[in-house]
Amino acid sequence: MRSSQTETAVLGGLSVEPMTGYALREAIREVLGHFWSESFGQIYPSLAELERKGHVRRLGSARTGASTFAITPAGMTRLKELLAQPLQQVPPRNGLMLRLFFGRHLGPEACRSLVRQARAEAESRLSQYEAIYQDVMNEDDRTGDRPYWLLTISAGQHAARAAVAWADEALAALDQLDQPAPAASESRRKI
Amino acid sequence: MRSSQTETAVLGGLSVEPMTGYALREAIREVLGHFWSESFGQIYPSLAELERKGHVRRLGSARTGASTFAITPAGMTRLKELLAQPLQQVPPRNGLMLRLFFGRHLGPEACRSLVRQARAEAESRLSQYEAIYQDVMNEDDRTGDRPYWLLTISAGQHAARAAVAWADEALAALDQLDQPAPAASESRRKI
DNA sequence: GCCCGCATGTAACTGGTTACATGATTGT
DNA sequence: ACAATCATGTAACCAGTTACATGCGGGC
């Protein structure tokens, strides 16, 4: 059985509007991209199985090949069921933290470089969220989904702002490592 | 070839002190647990291959079975090499966000429940970080590693605090969905 | 006529977890 | 003696990505 997580994403996507498998993947990349991803290798088999189970149906096989999928009432029921399932948490694997944890073997400068990179990525995410926020506010249909979508954008923003704040603190701490703490008195040494 | 990520974690762990495979896993769970995980199915094959390549060596096979591994100079070189490698970012898969994004089909109350759960987990992480922080400060050997370990703890704290702040905001927003916004004038309606 | 973007699908591989089989050591 | 914990290892399975094979339609 294909992962229920992919099933959720596919059914969820089609609950917004009917699409082809290709468009579904684009939509997931562009809209859910900051917290979800799916590849063709997942989407197509998943769509095939969902069709077999009657949770989606194929519309307009007009030109051979391309076909648009729509969610069925049974699919909506299934989606609600899937959304209500308890979230299985994935074992964490944060490459940046792994490197910093053993940062002693890397040295302060290499660590600073890693942290700077992380900071830049967080800043970039912040501006992306700003753009997505505007997009969501400008879509006048789909107002029923809007508050929920804003929730996820807000989560991204909080996380990114935290990353930036942490990075600044970390950079300061790493600087301290190069110039070890001066003694309490006689804090400034003449050359 | 076993993942270089597991290799990094194993070599890194042994760079702190020699251990058995079992102890290595415990150490990873307890110390790196909040941002890294490894299972026996990864650790043992990885140790075997590292031994074959001369990056770790087996100490004291005193009693049959249990053997302690130590990192070799070649292993230290390899570790530094691995730590310097660019970080490959993993495609995001955040189950909570996926559910909230399609929260319209779940309804405000179920979403609040999810957010409350996330908030509680973040709070719990915060108190764990506090405990780990104390542990790290109390270890008087390993002072060379300390500043780096503190960096990762701090990252966890920033992230957890952000999660709590977001959750509070999200709960307020979800409450608004139940009692839709009153009109600008005549803000309070008599029964 | 040809390239690019849309579109579908499959096969191979990879990174990883889980479950199982096995046995030594220690404490009660 | 027996249970709990330490310890090692393997086999089966799983989710997911990547790469590949294929073809249609439209614009230059």
Side-chain angles (χ1 to χ4, degrees), chain A residues 1-9 11 36 53 55 76-89, chain B residues 94-100 102-103 105-106 110-111 113-115 117 121:
Chain A
M1 187 189 68
R2 285 285 139 192
S3 144
S4 61
Q5 301 261 82
T6 294
E7 213 182 321
T8 311
L11 286 174
W36 202 260
K53 288 196 275 186
H55 293 157
M76 275 301 301
T77 306
R78 176 70 178 144
L79 174 58
K80 283 169 189 170
E81 201 179 298
L82 286 169
L83 288 173
Q85 273 180 15
L87 11 110
Q88 68 212 62
Q89 75 264 29
Chain B
N94 185 327
L96 172 62
M97 290 303 139
L98 186 64
R99 280 160 181 77
L100 289 181
F102 299 119
H105 307 302
L106 213 43
C111 287
S113 162
L114 282 170
V115 174
Q117 193 191 323
E121 278 160 21

mmCIF file of all heavy atoms in Angstrom, chain A residues 1-9 11 36 53 55 76-89, chain B residues 94-100 102-103 105-106 110-111 113-115 117 121, chain D residues 15:
data_model
loop_
_atom_site.group_PDB
_atom_site.id
_atom_site.type_symbol
_atom_site.label_atom_id
_atom_site.label_comp_id
_atom_site.label_asym_id
_atom_site.label_seq_id
_atom_site.Cartn_x
_atom_site.Cartn_y
_atom_site.Cartn_z
ATOM 1 N N MET A 1 0.834 -1.205 0.000
ATOM 2 C CA MET A 1 0.000 0.000 0.000
ATOM 3 C C MET A 1 0.867 1.254 0.000
ATOM 4 O O MET A 1 1.782 1.379 0.800
ATOM 5 C CB MET A 1 -0.898 0.023 1.249
ATOM 6 C CG MET A 1 -1.914 1.141 1.251
ATOM 7 S SD MET A 1 -2.767 1.298 2.842
ATOM 8 C CE MET A 1 -1.439 1.868 3.917
ATOM 9 N N ARG A 2 0.539 2.171 -0.897
ATOM 10 C CA ARG A 2 1.223 3.457 -0.918
ATOM 11 C C ARG A 2 1.011 4.192 0.391
ATOM 12 O O ARG A 2 -0.021 4.060 1.023
ATOM 13 C CB ARG A 2 0.681 4.325 -2.074
ATOM 14 C CG ARG A 2 1.155 3.919 -3.440
ATOM 15 C CD ARG A 2 2.593 4.324 -3.675
ATOM 16 N NE ARG A 2 3.321 3.266 -4.364
ATOM 17 C CZ ARG A 2 4.637 3.264 -4.488
ATOM 18 N NH1 ARG A 2 5.363 4.213 -3.960
ATOM 19 N NH2 ARG A 2 5.239 2.277 -5.095
ATOM 20 N N SER A 3 1.983 5.004 0.738
ATOM 21 C CA SER A 3 1.919 5.752 1.987
ATOM 22 C C SER A 3 0.642 6.567 2.102
ATOM 23 O O SER A 3 0.220 7.230 1.163
ATOM 24 C CB SER A 3 3.120 6.689 2.055
ATOM 25 O OG SER A 3 2.767 7.890 2.671
ATOM 26 N N SER A 4 0.024 6.536 3.259
ATOM 27 C CA SER A 4 -1.187 7.314 3.477
ATOM 28 C C SER A 4 -0.881 8.802 3.439
ATOM 29 O O SER A 4 -1.768 9.613 3.207
ATOM 30 C CB SER A 4 -1.809 6.934 4.813
ATOM 31 O OG SER A 4 -0.903 7.216 5.852
ATOM 32 N N GLN A 5 0.371 9.157 3.646
ATOM 33 C CA GLN A 5 0.749 10.560 3.620
ATOM 34 C C GLN A 5 0.633 11.121 2.202
ATOM 35 O O GLN A 5 0.103 12.208 2.000
ATOM 36 C CB GLN A 5 2.185 10.736 4.115
ATOM 37 C CG GLN A 5 2.439 10.235 5.507
ATOM 38 C CD GLN A 5 2.415 11.345 6.541
ATOM 39 O OE1 GLN A 5 1.361 11.762 6.995
ATOM 40 N NE2 GLN A 5 3.580 11.827 6.889
ATOM 41 N N THR A 6 1.149 10.361 1.241
ATOM 42 C CA THR A 6 1.024 10.776 -0.151
ATOM 43 C C THR A 6 -0.448 10.818 -0.548
ATOM 44 O O THR A 6 -0.895 11.764 -1.202
ATOM 45 C CB THR A 6 1.770 9.799 -1.079
ATOM 46 O OG1 THR A 6 3.166 9.878 -0.808
ATOM 47 C CG2 THR A 6 1.518 10.124 -2.531
ATOM 48 N N GLU A 7 -1.181 9.807 -0.126
ATOM 49 C CA GLU A 7 -2.615 9.745 -0.402
ATOM 50 C C GLU A 7 -3.287 11.031 0.101
ATOM 51 O O GLU A 7 -4.100 11.631 -0.608
ATOM 52 C CB GLU A 7 -3.187 8.536 0.352
ATOM 53 C CG GLU A 7 -4.337 7.840 -0.331
ATOM 54 C CD GLU A 7 -4.847 6.687 0.542
ATOM 55 O OE1 GLU A 7 -4.012 5.988 1.162
ATOM 56 O OE2 GLU A 7 -6.078 6.503 0.597
ATOM 57 N N THR A 8 -2.936 11.438 1.305
ATOM 58 C CA THR A 8 -3.512 12.652 1.878
ATOM 59 C C THR A 8 -3.198 13.867 1.018
ATOM 60 O O THR A 8 -4.094 14.662 0.707
ATOM 61 C CB THR A 8 -2.949 12.897 3.289
ATOM 62 O OG1 THR A 8 -3.046 11.704 4.056
ATOM 63 C CG2 THR A 8 -3.706 14.010 3.987
ATOM 64 N N ALA A 9 -1.934 14.002 0.638
ATOM 65 C CA ALA A 9 -1.518 15.164 -0.145
ATOM 66 C C ALA A 9 -2.234 15.191 -1.496
ATOM 67 O O ALA A 9 -2.700 16.243 -1.941
ATOM 68 C CB ALA A 9 -0.010 15.153 -0.338
ATOM 69 N N LEU A 11 -5.160 13.598 -2.414
ATOM 70 C CA LEU A 11 -6.583 13.867 -2.237
ATOM 71 C C LEU A 11 -6.803 15.326 -1.823
ATOM 72 O O LEU A 11 -7.725 15.985 -2.320
ATOM 73 C CB LEU A 11 -7.181 12.928 -1.181
ATOM 74 C CG LEU A 11 -7.383 11.471 -1.614
ATOM 75 C CD1 LEU A 11 -7.845 10.629 -0.443
ATOM 76 C CD2 LEU A 11 -8.386 11.389 -2.757
ATOM 77 N N TRP A 36 6.069 20.460 2.392
ATOM 78 C CA TRP A 36 5.725 19.153 1.851
ATOM 79 C C TRP A 36 6.332 18.947 0.469
ATOM 80 O O TRP A 36 6.568 19.914 -0.246
ATOM 81 C CB TRP A 36 4.205 18.965 1.759
ATOM 82 C CG TRP A 36 3.834 17.515 1.734
ATOM 83 C CD1 TRP A 36 3.505 16.774 0.633
ATOM 84 C CD2 TRP A 36 3.795 16.625 2.841
ATOM 85 N NE1 TRP A 36 3.261 15.472 1.010
ATOM 86 C CE2 TRP A 36 3.433 15.359 2.334
ATOM 87 C CE3 TRP A 36 4.038 16.770 4.207
ATOM 88 C CZ2 TRP A 36 3.312 14.247 3.174
ATOM 89 C CZ3 TRP A 36 3.920 15.674 5.024
ATOM 90 C CH2 TRP A 36 3.549 14.432 4.493
ATOM 91 N N LYS A 53 -9.744 2.480 -6.336
ATOM 92 C CA LYS A 53 -10.595 2.419 -5.148
ATOM 93 C C LYS A 53 -11.801 3.350 -5.244
ATOM 94 O O LYS A 53 -12.613 3.412 -4.323
ATOM 95 C CB LYS A 53 -9.771 2.775 -3.895
ATOM 96 C CG LYS A 53 -8.795 1.666 -3.508
ATOM 97 C CD LYS A 53 -8.284 1.838 -2.083
ATOM 98 C CE LYS A 53 -7.110 2.779 -2.014
ATOM 99 N NZ LYS A 53 -6.477 2.884 -0.692
ATOM 100 N N HIS A 55 -11.749 6.645 -5.283
ATOM 101 C CA HIS A 55 -11.617 7.885 -4.519
ATOM 102 C C HIS A 55 -11.361 9.098 -5.409
ATOM 103 O O HIS A 55 -11.549 10.232 -4.993
ATOM 104 C CB HIS A 55 -10.510 7.760 -3.470
ATOM 105 C CG HIS A 55 -10.832 6.773 -2.397
ATOM 106 N ND1 HIS A 55 -9.873 6.150 -1.644
ATOM 107 C CD2 HIS A 55 -12.014 6.285 -1.957
ATOM 108 C CE1 HIS A 55 -10.448 5.325 -0.781
ATOM 109 N NE2 HIS A 55 -11.752 5.386 -0.961
ATOM 110 N N MET A 76 -13.577 12.268 -0.733
ATOM 111 C CA MET A 76 -13.678 13.301 0.304
ATOM 112 C C MET A 76 -13.782 12.665 1.686
ATOM 113 O O MET A 76 -13.137 13.107 2.638
ATOM 114 C CB MET A 76 -14.900 14.191 0.048
ATOM 115 C CG MET A 76 -14.664 15.327 -0.922
ATOM 116 S SD MET A 76 -13.340 16.457 -0.401
ATOM 117 C CE MET A 76 -13.976 17.006 1.178
ATOM 118 N N THR A 77 -14.587 11.619 1.757
ATOM 119 C CA THR A 77 -14.724 10.901 3.030
ATOM 120 C C THR A 77 -13.375 10.351 3.474
ATOM 121 O O THR A 77 -12.963 10.503 4.628
ATOM 122 C CB THR A 77 -15.716 9.741 2.869
ATOM 123 O OG1 THR A 77 -16.939 10.251 2.337
ATOM 124 C CG2 THR A 77 -15.980 9.059 4.195
ATOM 125 N N ARG A 78 -12.699 9.737 2.521
ATOM 126 C CA ARG A 78 -11.387 9.161 2.810
ATOM 127 C C ARG A 78 -10.397 10.242 3.253
ATOM 128 O O ARG A 78 -9.624 10.041 4.187
ATOM 129 C CB ARG A 78 -10.875 8.454 1.560
ATOM 130 C CG ARG A 78 -9.480 7.890 1.661
ATOM 131 C CD ARG A 78 -9.417 6.710 2.588
ATOM 132 N NE ARG A 78 -8.069 6.142 2.638
ATOM 133 C CZ ARG A 78 -7.516 5.630 3.724
ATOM 134 N NH1 ARG A 78 -8.204 5.608 4.861
ATOM 135 N NH2 ARG A 78 -6.311 5.133 3.701
ATOM 136 N N LEU A 79 -10.440 11.398 2.597
ATOM 137 C CA LEU A 79 -9.545 12.502 2.942
ATOM 138 C C LEU A 79 -9.753 12.919 4.391
ATOM 139 O O LEU A 79 -8.791 13.078 5.155
ATOM 140 C CB LEU A 79 -9.777 13.691 2.011
ATOM 141 C CG LEU A 79 -9.016 14.984 2.339
ATOM 142 C CD1 LEU A 79 -7.515 14.757 2.372
ATOM 143 C CD2 LEU A 79 -9.352 16.087 1.336
ATOM 144 N N LYS A 80 -11.027 13.067 4.772
ATOM 145 C CA LYS A 80 -11.316 13.480 6.140
ATOM 146 C C LYS A 80 -10.801 12.454 7.146
ATOM 147 O O LYS A 80 -10.267 12.805 8.204
ATOM 148 C CB LYS A 80 -12.828 13.691 6.309
ATOM 149 C CG LYS A 80 -13.272 14.994 5.712
ATOM 150 C CD LYS A 80 -14.784 15.130 5.614
ATOM 151 C CE LYS A 80 -15.131 16.390 4.803
ATOM 152 N NZ LYS A 80 -16.559 16.463 4.456
ATOM 153 N N GLU A 81 -10.940 11.195 6.760
ATOM 154 C CA GLU A 81 -10.454 10.089 7.592
ATOM 155 C C GLU A 81 -8.929 10.195 7.763
ATOM 156 O O GLU A 81 -8.408 10.069 8.876
ATOM 157 C CB GLU A 81 -10.814 8.799 6.863
ATOM 158 C CG GLU A 81 -10.871 7.544 7.662
ATOM 159 C CD GLU A 81 -11.266 6.393 6.746
ATOM 160 O OE1 GLU A 81 -12.400 6.441 6.186
ATOM 161 O OE2 GLU A 81 -10.455 5.470 6.558
ATOM 162 N N LEU A 82 -8.258 10.423 6.642
ATOM 163 C CA LEU A 82 -6.794 10.493 6.666
ATOM 164 C C LEU A 82 -6.312 11.687 7.487
ATOM 165 O O LEU A 82 -5.353 11.586 8.251
ATOM 166 C CB LEU A 82 -6.252 10.610 5.241
ATOM 167 C CG LEU A 82 -6.303 9.331 4.410
ATOM 168 C CD1 LEU A 82 -5.992 9.646 2.951
ATOM 169 C CD2 LEU A 82 -5.305 8.323 4.953
ATOM 170 N N LEU A 83 -6.998 12.828 7.303
ATOM 171 C CA LEU A 83 -6.583 14.035 8.021
ATOM 172 C C LEU A 83 -6.727 13.855 9.534
ATOM 173 O O LEU A 83 -5.973 14.434 10.311
ATOM 174 C CB LEU A 83 -7.421 15.232 7.556
ATOM 175 C CG LEU A 83 -7.113 15.757 6.160
ATOM 176 C CD1 LEU A 83 -8.125 16.815 5.747
ATOM 177 C CD2 LEU A 83 -5.701 16.337 6.092
ATOM 178 N N ALA A 84 -7.701 13.028 9.910
ATOM 179 C CA ALA A 84 -7.972 12.845 11.344
ATOM 180 C C ALA A 84 -7.012 11.854 11.993
ATOM 181 O O ALA A 84 -6.970 11.728 13.217
ATOM 182 C CB ALA A 84 -9.405 12.389 11.536
ATOM 183 N N GLN A 85 -6.220 11.146 11.162
ATOM 184 C CA GLN A 85 -5.298 10.165 11.737
ATOM 185 C C GLN A 85 -4.206 10.836 12.550
ATOM 186 O O GLN A 85 -3.757 11.921 12.206
ATOM 187 C CB GLN A 85 -4.670 9.324 10.626
ATOM 188 C CG GLN A 85 -5.517 8.117 10.267
ATOM 189 C CD GLN A 85 -4.881 7.294 9.174
ATOM 190 O OE1 GLN A 85 -3.702 7.443 8.864
ATOM 191 N NE2 GLN A 85 -5.673 6.416 8.574
ATOM 192 N N PRO A 86 -3.764 10.173 13.623
ATOM 193 C CA PRO A 86 -2.713 10.743 14.465
ATOM 194 C C PRO A 86 -1.456 10.967 13.658
ATOM 195 O O PRO A 86 -1.146 10.178 12.769
ATOM 196 C CB PRO A 86 -2.476 9.674 15.530
ATOM 197 C CG PRO A 86 -2.967 8.406 14.918
ATOM 198 C CD PRO A 86 -4.118 8.808 14.053
ATOM 199 N N LEU A 87 -0.722 12.031 13.955
ATOM 200 C CA LEU A 87 0.487 12.277 13.170
ATOM 201 C C LEU A 87 1.633 11.433 13.667
ATOM 202 O O LEU A 87 1.954 11.427 14.857
ATOM 203 C CB LEU A 87 0.882 13.740 13.078
ATOM 204 C CG LEU A 87 0.317 14.871 13.875
ATOM 205 C CD1 LEU A 87 1.375 15.346 14.840
ATOM 206 C CD2 LEU A 87 -0.031 15.977 12.904
ATOM 207 N N GLN A 88 2.228 10.721 12.716
ATOM 208 C CA GLN A 88 3.409 9.924 13.063
ATOM 209 C C GLN A 88 4.619 10.837 12.936
ATOM 210 O O GLN A 88 4.848 11.425 11.893
ATOM 211 C CB GLN A 88 3.529 8.744 12.099
ATOM 212 C CG GLN A 88 3.863 9.115 10.659
ATOM 213 C CD GLN A 88 3.259 8.165 9.640
ATOM 214 O OE1 GLN A 88 2.057 8.028 9.539
ATOM 215 N NE2 GLN A 88 4.111 7.491 8.881
ATOM 216 N N GLN A 89 5.369 10.991 14.032
ATOM 217 C CA GLN A 89 6.504 11.916 13.890
ATOM 218 C C GLN A 89 7.715 11.203 13.323
ATOM 219 O O GLN A 89 7.998 10.067 13.679
ATOM 220 C CB GLN A 89 6.854 12.628 15.197
ATOM 221 C CG GLN A 89 7.569 11.803 16.224
ATOM 222 C CD GLN A 89 6.609 11.224 17.239
ATOM 223 O OE1 GLN A 89 5.442 10.975 16.928
ATOM 224 N NE2 GLN A 89 7.090 10.981 18.436
ATOM 225 N N ASN B 94 6.102 17.703 6.673
ATOM 226 C CA ASN B 94 5.579 18.068 7.983
ATOM 227 C C ASN B 94 4.091 17.716 8.067
ATOM 228 O O ASN B 94 3.234 18.412 7.519
ATOM 229 C CB ASN B 94 5.804 19.566 8.189
ATOM 230 C CG ASN B 94 5.406 20.009 9.567
ATOM 231 O OD1 ASN B 94 4.476 19.480 10.142
ATOM 232 N ND2 ASN B 94 6.129 20.967 10.095
ATOM 233 N N GLY B 95 3.825 16.619 8.755
ATOM 234 C CA GLY B 95 2.460 16.086 8.840
ATOM 235 C C GLY B 95 1.469 17.053 9.459
ATOM 236 O O GLY B 95 0.320 17.141 9.019
ATOM 237 N N LEU B 96 1.914 17.799 10.462
ATOM 238 C CA LEU B 96 1.028 18.761 11.109
ATOM 239 C C LEU B 96 0.584 19.833 10.122
ATOM 240 O O LEU B 96 -0.607 20.150 10.010
ATOM 241 C CB LEU B 96 1.747 19.412 12.299
ATOM 242 C CG LEU B 96 1.025 20.572 12.974
ATOM 243 C CD1 LEU B 96 -0.299 20.118 13.569
ATOM 244 C CD2 LEU B 96 1.901 21.194 14.051
ATOM 245 N N MET B 97 1.564 20.362 9.369
ATOM 246 C CA MET B 97 1.246 21.425 8.408
ATOM 247 C C MET B 97 0.349 20.905 7.295
ATOM 248 O O MET B 97 -0.559 21.591 6.848
ATOM 249 C CB MET B 97 2.541 21.999 7.817
ATOM 250 C CG MET B 97 3.351 22.794 8.806
ATOM 251 S SD MET B 97 2.397 24.153 9.530
ATOM 252 C CE MET B 97 2.907 24.072 11.231
ATOM 253 N N LEU B 98 0.598 19.679 6.877
ATOM 254 C CA LEU B 98 -0.243 19.079 5.836
ATOM 255 C C LEU B 98 -1.697 19.049 6.293
ATOM 256 O O LEU B 98 -2.616 19.397 5.559
ATOM 257 C CB LEU B 98 0.238 17.670 5.514
ATOM 258 C CG LEU B 98 -0.461 16.979 4.336
ATOM 259 C CD1 LEU B 98 -0.183 17.711 3.039
ATOM 260 C CD2 LEU B 98 -0.048 15.522 4.229
ATOM 261 N N ARG B 99 -1.909 18.636 7.539
ATOM 262 C CA ARG B 99 -3.270 18.566 8.076
ATOM 263 C C ARG B 99 -3.897 19.947 8.206
ATOM 264 O O ARG B 99 -5.060 20.156 7.882
ATOM 265 C CB ARG B 99 -3.263 17.856 9.428
ATOM 266 C CG ARG B 99 -3.206 16.338 9.291
ATOM 267 C CD ARG B 99 -2.717 15.686 10.558
ATOM 268 N NE ARG B 99 -2.628 14.236 10.431
ATOM 269 C CZ ARG B 99 -1.668 13.600 9.795
ATOM 270 N NH1 ARG B 99 -0.695 14.283 9.206
ATOM 271 N NH2 ARG B 99 -1.662 12.277 9.744
ATOM 272 N N LEU B 100 -3.104 20.910 8.699
ATOM 273 C CA LEU B 100 -3.657 22.256 8.869
ATOM 274 C C LEU B 100 -3.974 22.902 7.531
ATOM 275 O O LEU B 100 -4.961 23.630 7.403
ATOM 276 C CB LEU B 100 -2.681 23.130 9.658
ATOM 277 C CG LEU B 100 -2.551 22.785 11.138
ATOM 278 C CD1 LEU B 100 -1.571 23.728 11.805
ATOM 279 C CD2 LEU B 100 -3.905 22.837 11.835
ATOM 280 N N PHE B 102 -5.073 21.549 4.900
ATOM 281 C CA PHE B 102 -6.383 21.078 4.462
ATOM 282 C C PHE B 102 -7.370 21.076 5.631
ATOM 283 O O PHE B 102 -8.344 20.330 5.644
ATOM 284 C CB PHE B 102 -6.259 19.698 3.826
ATOM 285 C CG PHE B 102 -5.376 19.691 2.606
ATOM 286 C CD1 PHE B 102 -4.220 18.928 2.566
ATOM 287 C CD2 PHE B 102 -5.698 20.475 1.510
ATOM 288 C CE1 PHE B 102 -3.398 18.944 1.444
ATOM 289 C CE2 PHE B 102 -4.883 20.494 0.388
ATOM 290 C CZ PHE B 102 -3.732 19.729 0.353
ATOM 291 N N GLY B 103 -7.079 21.946 6.601
ATOM 292 C CA GLY B 103 -7.859 22.003 7.844
ATOM 293 C C GLY B 103 -9.328 22.307 7.643
ATOM 294 O O GLY B 103 -10.156 21.984 8.500
ATOM 295 N N HIS B 105 -11.329 20.836 5.854
ATOM 296 C CA HIS B 105 -12.106 19.587 5.856
ATOM 297 C C HIS B 105 -12.102 18.924 7.225
ATOM 298 O O HIS B 105 -12.744 17.912 7.428
ATOM 299 C CB HIS B 105 -11.553 18.615 4.812
ATOM 300 C CG HIS B 105 -11.453 19.207 3.460
ATOM 301 N ND1 HIS B 105 -12.544 19.731 2.792
ATOM 302 C CD2 HIS B 105 -10.393 19.406 2.632
ATOM 303 C CE1 HIS B 105 -12.158 20.204 1.621
ATOM 304 N NE2 HIS B 105 -10.863 20.023 1.507
ATOM 305 N N LEU B 106 -11.320 19.494 8.122
ATOM 306 C CA LEU B 106 -11.173 18.915 9.454
ATOM 307 C C LEU B 106 -12.008 19.695 10.464
ATOM 308 O O LEU B 106 -12.463 19.149 11.471
ATOM 309 C CB LEU B 106 -9.686 18.976 9.831
ATOM 310 C CG LEU B 106 -9.051 17.896 10.693
ATOM 311 C CD1 LEU B 106 -9.492 16.514 10.273
ATOM 312 C CD2 LEU B 106 -7.542 17.992 10.594
ATOM 313 N N ALA B 110 -10.974 20.372 15.572
ATOM 314 C CA ALA B 110 -9.942 19.352 15.374
ATOM 315 C C ALA B 110 -8.579 20.008 15.151
ATOM 316 O O ALA B 110 -7.556 19.512 15.635
ATOM 317 C CB ALA B 110 -10.307 18.455 14.190
ATOM 318 N N CYS B 111 -8.577 21.123 14.449
ATOM 319 C CA CYS B 111 -7.322 21.841 14.212
ATOM 320 C C CYS B 111 -6.761 22.390 15.520
ATOM 321 O O CYS B 111 -5.562 22.294 15.778
ATOM 322 C CB CYS B 111 -7.541 22.979 13.223
ATOM 323 S SG CYS B 111 -7.789 22.406 11.529
ATOM 324 N N SER B 113 -7.152 21.191 18.374
ATOM 325 C CA SER B 113 -6.616 20.055 19.114
ATOM 326 C C SER B 113 -5.201 19.704 18.640
ATOM 327 O O SER B 113 -4.304 19.455 19.449
ATOM 328 C CB SER B 113 -7.560 18.864 18.953
ATOM 329 O OG SER B 113 -6.907 17.681 19.294
ATOM 330 N N LEU B 114 -5.014 19.719 17.325
ATOM 331 C CA LEU B 114 -3.688 19.457 16.768
ATOM 332 C C LEU B 114 -2.684 20.502 17.235
ATOM 333 O O LEU B 114 -1.558 20.175 17.614
ATOM 334 C CB LEU B 114 -3.743 19.469 15.238
ATOM 335 C CG LEU B 114 -4.308 18.229 14.552
ATOM 336 C CD1 LEU B 114 -4.528 18.496 13.070
ATOM 337 C CD2 LEU B 114 -3.367 17.042 14.744
ATOM 338 N N VAL B 115 -3.102 21.759 17.196
ATOM 339 C CA VAL B 115 -2.195 22.846 17.562
ATOM 340 C C VAL B 115 -1.860 22.777 19.050
ATOM 341 O O VAL B 115 -0.704 22.974 19.439
ATOM 342 C CB VAL B 115 -2.807 24.215 17.199
ATOM 343 C CG1 VAL B 115 -1.936 25.349 17.712
ATOM 344 C CG2 VAL B 115 -2.996 24.328 15.697
ATOM 345 N N GLN B 117 -1.751 20.151 20.861
ATOM 346 C CA GLN B 117 -0.805 19.036 21.009
ATOM 347 C C GLN B 117 0.608 19.489 20.636
ATOM 348 O O GLN B 117 1.568 19.225 21.372
ATOM 349 C CB GLN B 117 -1.253 17.898 20.092
ATOM 350 C CG GLN B 117 -0.572 16.571 20.348
ATOM 351 C CD GLN B 117 -0.879 15.575 19.223
ATOM 352 O OE1 GLN B 117 -2.001 15.547 18.698
ATOM 353 N NE2 GLN B 117 0.099 14.775 18.859
ATOM 354 N N GLU B 121 3.955 19.674 23.063
ATOM 355 C CA GLU B 121 5.221 19.028 22.735
ATOM 356 C C GLU B 121 6.369 20.031 22.756
ATOM 357 O O GLU B 121 7.472 19.719 23.211
ATOM 358 C CB GLU B 121 5.136 18.348 21.369
ATOM 359 C CG GLU B 121 4.482 16.971 21.444
ATOM 360 C CD GLU B 121 3.961 16.497 20.098
ATOM 361 O OE1 GLU B 121 4.426 16.999 19.058
ATOM 362 O OE2 GLU B 121 3.061 15.615 20.096
ATOM 363 P P DA D 15 5.084 2.292 3.206
ATOM 364 O OP1 DA D 15 3.903 2.460 4.066
ATOM 365 O OP2 DA D 15 4.966 1.742 1.841
ATOM 366 O "O5'" DA D 15 5.833 3.699 3.111
ATOM 367 C "C5'" DA D 15 6.687 4.099 4.169
ATOM 368 C "C4'" DA D 15 7.581 5.195 3.665
ATOM 369 O "O4'" DA D 15 8.734 4.633 3.013
ATOM 370 C "C3'" DA D 15 6.925 6.118 2.659
ATOM 371 O "O3'" DA D 15 7.295 7.430 3.016
ATOM 372 C "C2'" DA D 15 7.492 5.664 1.316
ATOM 373 C "C1'" DA D 15 8.866 5.144 1.706
ATOM 374 N N9 DA D 15 9.392 4.036 0.905
ATOM 375 C C8 DA D 15 8.706 2.953 0.427
ATOM 376 N N7 DA D 15 9.452 2.096 -0.242
ATOM 377 C C5 DA D 15 10.719 2.663 -0.188
ATOM 378 C C6 DA D 15 11.956 2.242 -0.704
ATOM 379 N N6 DA D 15 12.132 1.121 -1.398
ATOM 380 N N1 DA D 15 13.025 3.043 -0.477
ATOM 381 C C2 DA D 15 12.851 4.171 0.231
ATOM 382 N N3 DA D 15 11.739 4.661 0.763
ATOM 383 C C4 DA D 15 10.696 3.848 0.513
#
